[in-house]
Every structure is written in C-alpha cells, then in structure tokens.
Amino acid sequence: MIRSIHTIKTGASPFHRLKPHPFSLPHPFIQSHTSHLGPPLLNPKSLSRSRRYFRALQMSTHLSPSNSDSGVSSSSSSLPSMVHKPNIGFCQSCGGPTKHVIPEGEERMRAVCTVCEKVHYENPKMVVGCLVEHNSKVLLCKRKIQPSYGLWTLPAGFMEVGESAAEGAARETFEEACADVEVISPFAQLDIPLIGQSYIIFRAKLKNPHFAPGPESLECALFGFDEIPFDSLAFSSVLVTLQMYIEDVRAGKLRSHYCTITKKKFLEKQIR
Amino acid sequence: MIRSIHTIKTGASPFHRLKPHPFSLPHPFIQSHTSHLGPPLLNPKSLSRSRRYFRALQMSTHLSPSNSDSGVSSSSSSLPSMVHKPNIGFCQSCGGPTKHVIPEGEERMRAVCTVCEKVHYENPKMVVGCLVEHNSKVLLCKRKIQPSYGLWTLPAGFMEVGESAAEGAARETFEEACADVEVISPFAQLDIPLIGQSYIIFRAKLKNPHFAPGPESLECALFGFDEIPFDSLAFSSVLVTLQMYIEDVRAGKLRSHYCTITKKKFLEKQIR
C-alpha cells in the first residue's frame, strides 16, 4: 500500500538537503528528501541492534485501494546502540535507589530498584494534535512556553491516560487555541525515536470561526500556504506535517502518512 | 476521508451485541457494531470532562482518494471523570513520597513530590505489533506469559525509547515468533483509554517461511480466516484487528483503521 517514500534525517550539516523540498525552507533540525524507490526493508534479524534502532524510515500510505506497490527506505548509522540511559533515580513503588543494569533475559539497560527489585520501563510518549483547516488556511499557535518559546506550532501536546488520541488532539487544540474542532481523520504519525516521542496528528475543522490564544500561546492565527512561517516553526514534526499536507493538497490527493524523524544532531549532543 | 464507522464498546452484558459481526464469535471483552451514519463529533468544549474521556469512538479511514464523506460515532457515558489515580508513590528524581493533588492550572490529579515538588505525569503506552500475512493466513502466537496465558495473540509488545513503531513491531515479531518480517504498511491504531494503551498494528509479510515460538510463546501458527481461534484470543485489540482485516480482505479493499475500544467493565472494576 506504500508508493512514495520520504526519508527524513537530520545530521551534522543541517542545511544540506538531498533533494530540496518545494515547501521546506531552511530549518535547523531537518534534512529531507523524497524518493519513489526501494523495496520494503525492515529486518530485525539481519541488522545489528545498534543499526536497527537508528535507521531513518518513513512510509507514506496513499489512500488508494488500487495502490499495491510498496517500499520502505532505510539508511544505516554507526551510532552506538545503548545511547538511552534510564532516567529514573529512585523507585516509584518503594522510594529505594535504583541501579542501571541489563536484567536477565533482556537486552536493554533498565533502572532496577536496589530494595524491592522492581524493573522500571521507560516508554515513548504520544503527542497528539490537530492540523486545523479553515478556508484553505491552517491554524498555528505561537508558543508562550519553553521549549521553542515564540515559535509557531500546530496545537498539540502529550496524550493523557483516559482519553483517545483523537480526544486528546481536540483537547489540546481547545487548550492552546480555544478552538472548538471537529476531528476529521488521522493525517500523520511521526515517530522520533531519539527523544522517545510519537506524534499523532489529525485533520480537523473549526466548528465555528472562533479561536484565541490559550494560556500556553502568545497568539494564534490562520495561515495560507504561502504565509506559513517556515523559518520560525517550533519543531521538526510541525515542519514535516505541514510539508506533507501542502504537498497532498497541491496534488489534490490527501493521504495518511507514517514516518520517522531521526535526529542525529540531538543524539550527538546526548552522547558527548 | 472517513466512510464507515465502527463503535466498539464493552459493557456489563458482555455477550449482547448491537449488531453481530460475521467474524466475531462470543468474546468476554467485546461488544461491537458497525454503522455508516453520523457526522463527525468531537467537541471538547460542549462535553463535560467526565463524558469527554469515556466516549466510544472509532474512525475507519478508507484508502480511497475519491472518498470525501466522513463521520465519527460517539456515545456518552455517565462514568466519573477522575477514575484514573496516579500510580506513583515516590518521586523518581529524589525518592521523596508523593501526594496526589490537582496542580494549579491543571484539571487532572497528579502525583507531586512532597520534597522537591516535581509533578509526575503518566502517559499512555504504545503497543506495537504485526499482522503477518502468509498464503492467505495470519500468524498468531499462544502466550506463555500472563496476562492471558495460553490465549492467542498477534505478535506485539510495548514500544521502546529509541525505536520507531515499525521497528518495534518487527522486533516484537522476531522476539515472540522468531519471524523475520518485512513491514508493509500501518494497518490499525486502536486506542484503549481506560487502560492507557494505544495499539499500532502494521501489516507485514514473512521474509522467509520460518517461524517458531520465542521465549514468551507456547506455540506459533498460521491460521486461515476460518481457522482463527476467536474464542481463545488474548485481547480485545487482537479480536478487533482480525475482524477488520478479514472484513477488508473479503471486501477486496484493504484500509487503514483508527478506533477506540472502551472497556466499561474494566472501569467498573477499577472504581469499585
């Protein structure tokens, strides 16, 4: 079901682009290219653990039932495998100090309580948000909080226990832009393995034309495609989502997307 | 982009079905019905917090670019809003005991450290897995671990920090079924708000015909659609995924799906 392949990859040379994207102005965190080549490749057995975790991979699923060819692009990396170290100093259950070890039968470093021996797992967090469409414009919020204070974002935030992704996306849109939205459909999933986040972005529309900055926004505004402040976007995920959306709209073919953003630069900073 | 609506809901009367599904044999955790009606409805402003978190919602996205009508079904619930209580007794940063309060500016109960005042957030976990297709059969694993020891599941498990959802799904398939797979495309996202989990299931195919039970499986096998042990499935998410897949294949139209599974019965147990 996959036809086009987008590999999104950041690196030491932030402004080098393998193939310039028409809508992607220079951004400090992103390199991108688009290709339509390559068979699926996701083979955990034949790859070493170190390479497996840090490959760039994006799959873009077309909303076309007649589409039967597929492909996943991959690129290897020589980055070390155990970059992520547990960030848990004390046990949540008994308060005892933890030690960082690889438990028997596992392959990853975990925080294990030295008192009650509980193993603490750290899992990726889901960030849910809306791409709100209104009169051929999209709704963006200027952030009033760190990180990326003063930069523009799609309304989005961490999903909570007790809500669905769609409910969380609508909640965040209401909290950040006071906008009462109707969720239309899933638009994109963007995994960012190196910071342990997965973005789930839904297409949505305003139920009424009202919106205003919430407590975490300096301002909110609707932008036509040519007005989007690409040089002042808060996150790589926002850039990629907007690029894919504009590309789809201009092609007259809205699709749902799955992709992975790798952030080597971030990683290099982490392991220094 | 949404055409069909599936509302999946569990309740006090586990075997009552609003509309029997041809592939859904009695299962202790699921009621399901399928409809093709209703405008989108996801309005966080007009719903009380209590109702907003516990509505049943499923959107099913067709892989058809010509498909422009949409709909989201919802059902209200009179369940209380603050069912989820933080499960964190001690601070991960300093080991101090926590208190459970609603911090200023927030609306949800959080575990806050009584010593360093750090607020601890609990977020949903992502479960990633593969629906492996081989000669018109699907690969299932009989669980060797709790929960659901001895019942059949799709190979799936918690996503790790440092991997994409697709990489995690392939890793889990290798760990549980020793199967070397090629991920094809995202097939379904299934949110289960009441237990704080989101399943991301990918379609995948075997790179070679070898598979065998891993350490967490009693056995692994390929099942034709009429052979699937619907009365011995481990989780509601597995049942729903298999139902949607079989329905798609029989209709000759593979789609990507987004849905929410609500588990009232589970909730009732929690608040008792």
Side-chain angles (χ1 to χ4, degrees):
Chain A
M1 307 310 296
I2 300 164
R3 247 165 83 183
S4 75
I5 305 146
H6 306 250
T7 301
I8 296 144
K9 197 173 169 184
T10 61
S13 173
F15 296 104
H16 170 70
R17 291 173 184 285
L18 296 175
K19 180 180 167 185
H21 190 287
F23 313 115
S24 56
L25 301 184
H27 186 280
F29 298 107
I30 281 285
Q31 288 182 355
S32 70
H33 78 272
T34 303
S35 70
H36 296 262
L37 300 170
L41 176 61
L42 194 59
N43 177 353
K45 194 181 176 185
S46 63
L47 288 169
S48 72
R49 199 127 188 127
S50 61
R51 291 176 63 178
R52 202 193 315 164
Y53 284 120
F54 300 106
R55 292 182 315 145
L57 164 75
Q58 172 172 359
M59 295 190 288
S60 183
T61 305
H62 288 244
L63 296 176
S64 162
S66 61
N67 176 3
S68 61
D69 56 325
S70 64
V72 174
S73 159
S74 72
S75 67
S76 66
S77 161
S78 59
L79 296 162
S81 64
M82 289 300 168
V83 174
H84 180 74
K85 287 185 182 168
N87 198 22
I88 299 168
F90 295 87
C91 177
Q92 288 186 337
S93 297
C94 75
T98 60
K99 59 181 177 183
H100 294 165
V101 295
I102 300 176
E104 203 181 312
E106 297 204 29
E107 291 184 45
R108 292 170 69 94
M109 190 83 80
R110 310 285 185 191
V112 180
C113 181
T114 55
V115 179
C116 73
E117 298 185 346
K118 181 175 177 175
V119 181
H120 292 76
Y121 296 92
E122 287 180 274
N123 301 99
K125 288 182 178 163
M126 294 175 78
V127 180
V128 290
C130 285
L131 200 165
V132 181
E133 314 152 329
H134 188 73
N135 293 341
S136 300
K137 297 187 173 195
V138 294
L139 181 66
L140 298 179
C141 305
K142 189 184 258 188
R143 286 173 64 84
K144 199 177 175 179
I145 53 171
Q146 293 294 357
S148 300
Y149 180 99
L151 299 180
W152 291 91
T153 184
L154 295 168
F158 289 115
M159 185 173 160
E160 299 268 12
V161 171
E163 68 187 3
S164 69
E167 288 172 321
R171 174 184 53 75
E172 287 289 343
T173 305
F174 186 69
E175 289 176 4
E176 296 187 5
C178 304
D180 189 5
V181 297
E182 188 174 275
V183 171
I184 301 170
S185 67
F187 177 67
Q189 175 176 344
L190 303 100
D191 297 336
I192 313 181
L194 298 180
I195 57 171
Q197 292 183 357
S198 278
Y199 278 72
I200 309 284
I201 304 294
F202 293 85
R203 287 175 57 221
K205 58 182 177 180
L206 293 173
K207 288 178 79 81
N208 59 62
H210 173 76
F211 58 86
E216 296 182 359
S217 302
L218 292 164
E219 56 180 302
C220 298
L222 289 166
F223 291 89
F225 293 171
D226 296 331
E227 303 162 345
I228 291 172
F230 277 109
D231 53 349
S232 308
L233 294 181
F235 307 112
S236 55
S237 54
V238 175
L239 171 65
V240 173
T241 302
L242 289 169
Q243 284 175 342
M244 295 191 298
Y245 180 67
I246 294 171
E247 193 174 359
D248 281 6
V249 170
R250 293 202 168 153
K253 200 175 188 176
L254 277 162
R255 306 172 294 171
S256 66
H257 300 265
Y258 170 68
C259 67
T260 298
I261 299 172
T262 60
K263 290 193 169 188
K264 265 196 189 176
K265 209 179 172 188
F266 176 90
L267 181 63
E268 282 157 8
K269 202 182 275 180
Q270 288 279 93
I271 61 177
R272 221 176 272 149
Chain B
M1 309 309 296
I2 300 164
R3 248 166 82 184
S4 76
I5 305 147
H6 306 250
T7 301
I8 296 144
K9 197 173 168 183
T10 61
S13 174
F15 295 105
H16 170 70
R17 293 175 182 282
L18 298 174
K19 180 180 168 186
H21 191 289
F23 313 116
S24 55
L25 301 184
H27 186 279
F29 298 107
I30 279 285
Q31 288 182 354
S32 70
H33 78 271
T34 303
S35 69
H36 294 263
L37 299 171
L41 176 61
L42 196 58
N43 177 353
K45 195 180 174 185
S46 63
L47 287 170
S48 72
R49 201 130 187 124
S50 61
R51 292 177 62 178
R52 204 192 316 162
Y53 285 120
F54 299 108
R55 292 183 315 146
L57 164 75
Q58 171 171 359
M59 296 189 287
S60 182
T61 306
H62 287 243
L63 296 176
S64 163
S66 62
N67 177 3
S68 60
D69 57 326
S70 64
V72 175
S73 159
S74 72
S75 67
S76 65
S77 161
S78 58
L79 296 161
S81 64
M82 289 301 169
V83 173
H84 180 74
K85 287 184 182 169
N87 198 21
I88 299 168
F90 295 87
C91 177
Q92 288 185 337
S93 298
C94 77
T98 60
K99 59 182 177 183
H100 294 166
V101 294
I102 300 176
E104 204 181 311
E106 297 203 30
E107 291 183 46
R108 290 171 70 93
M109 191 81 82
R110 309 285 185 193
V112 180
C113 181
T114 55
V115 179
C116 73
E117 297 183 347
K118 182 174 176 176
V119 181
H120 292 76
Y121 297 92
E122 287 180 274
N123 301 99
K125 287 181 178 163
M126 294 174 78
V127 180
V128 291
C130 285
L131 199 165
V132 181
E133 313 152 331
H134 188 75
N135 293 342
S136 301
K137 298 189 173 195
V138 294
L139 181 65
L140 298 178
C141 305
K142 189 182 258 188
R143 287 173 65 83
K144 199 177 174 179
I145 52 171
Q146 293 293 357
S148 300
Y149 181 99
L151 298 179
W152 292 90
T153 184
L154 294 168
F158 289 115
M159 184 173 161
E160 299 270 11
V161 171
E163 68 187 2
S164 70
E167 288 172 321
R171 173 183 55 73
E172 287 289 343
T173 305
F174 186 69
E175 289 176 4
E176 296 187 3
C178 304
D180 189 6
V181 297
E182 188 174 273
V183 171
I184 301 170
S185 67
F187 177 67
Q189 175 177 344
L190 304 100
D191 298 336
I192 313 180
L194 298 180
I195 57 171
Q197 291 183 358
S198 278
Y199 278 72
I200 309 283
I201 304 294
F202 294 85
R203 287 175 55 222
K205 58 182 177 180
L206 293 173
K207 287 178 81 80
N208 59 62
H210 172 76
F211 59 86
E216 298 182 358
S217 303
L218 291 165
E219 56 180 303
C220 299
L222 289 166
F223 291 90
F225 293 171
D226 296 331
E227 303 161 346
I228 291 173
F230 277 110
D231 54 349
S232 309
L233 294 181
F235 307 112
S236 55
S237 54
V238 175
L239 170 65
V240 174
T241 301
L242 289 169
Q243 283 176 341
M244 294 191 299
Y245 179 68
I246 293 170
E247 193 174 359
D248 281 6
V249 170
R250 294 201 168 156
K253 200 175 187 178
L254 277 162
R255 308 172 293 172
S256 65
H257 300 264
Y258 170 67
C259 68
T260 297
I261 299 172
T262 60
K263 290 193 169 187
K264 266 195 187 175
K265 209 179 170 189
F266 176 88
L267 181 63
E268 281 156 9
K269 203 181 277 181
Q270 288 279 94
I271 62 177
R272 221 178 275 149

